[in-house]
Amino acid sequence: LFLDRSDAVELPIKFIPQNAGCYHCWILLKSSCDVRVYEIECVVNTDHAEAELEFVTPAYQPVIQDIPINNMSSQEWKLEAILEGHGFYGPPLINVGLGGTALYPLMFKPVTEC
């Protein structure tokens, strides 16, 4: 199936979210010979997406930092954590209930002085 760009029609949508979260929308388009339903999902993040942590601990002694994850959306989050770097450990999955906060326990366990 090849689509001809001359047959395309733009459908401008203005979206003004109140808070961070996941927003779902269904658009129903009807004509005399066709009916189509489009499902749209918009994910909105806060402006404060970056953070920096500094761990200070003697060699071979672990330190744990609980990182709060706030879910201000209307559905539960099931998040997968991907850790990069030597000596960092944490659970691979974490659930954050709707409207709740979960603490992600990030552990740094140095094996040498660094």
Side-chain angles (χ1 to χ4, degrees):
L1 175 67
F2 294 98
L3 298 176
D4 183 2
R5 293 294 253 169
S6 64
D7 291 340
V9 176
E10 287 190 28
L11 180 64
I13 298 173
K14 185 174 184 178
F15 175 63
I16 304 172
Q18 300 265 333
N19 296 306
C22 186
Y23 295 85
H24 295 272
C25 173
W26 291 269
I27 298 173
L28 174 66
L29 300 176
K30 294 194 290 186
S31 73
S32 59
C33 59
D34 193 16
V35 175
R36 295 176 189 224
V37 177
Y38 294 92
E39 182 178 359
I40 296 175
E41 178 180 285
C42 297
V43 177
V44 178
N45 296 317
T46 62
D47 292 336
H48 311 297
E50 292 186 30
E52 185 175 315
L53 297 175
E54 183 176 329
F55 291 92
V56 178
T57 185
Y60 303 106
Q61 295 204 12
V63 62
I64 296 175
Q65 175 68 53
D66 288 325
I67 301 171
I69 301 173
N70 298 316
N71 178 358
M72 297 170 30
S73 74
S74 59
Q75 67 181 25
E76 183 177 319
W77 287 350
K78 295 181 183 199
L79 304 175
E80 177 184 3
I82 300 171
L83 300 177
E84 297 180 0
H86 299 290
F88 289 95
Y89 304 93
L93 299 171
I94 188 168
N95 292 330
V96 186
L98 59 107
T101 300
L103 297 176
Y104 183 83
L106 179 62
M107 180 189 345
F108 178 61
K109 184 176 181 180
V111 294
T112 61
E113 187 176 321
C114 59

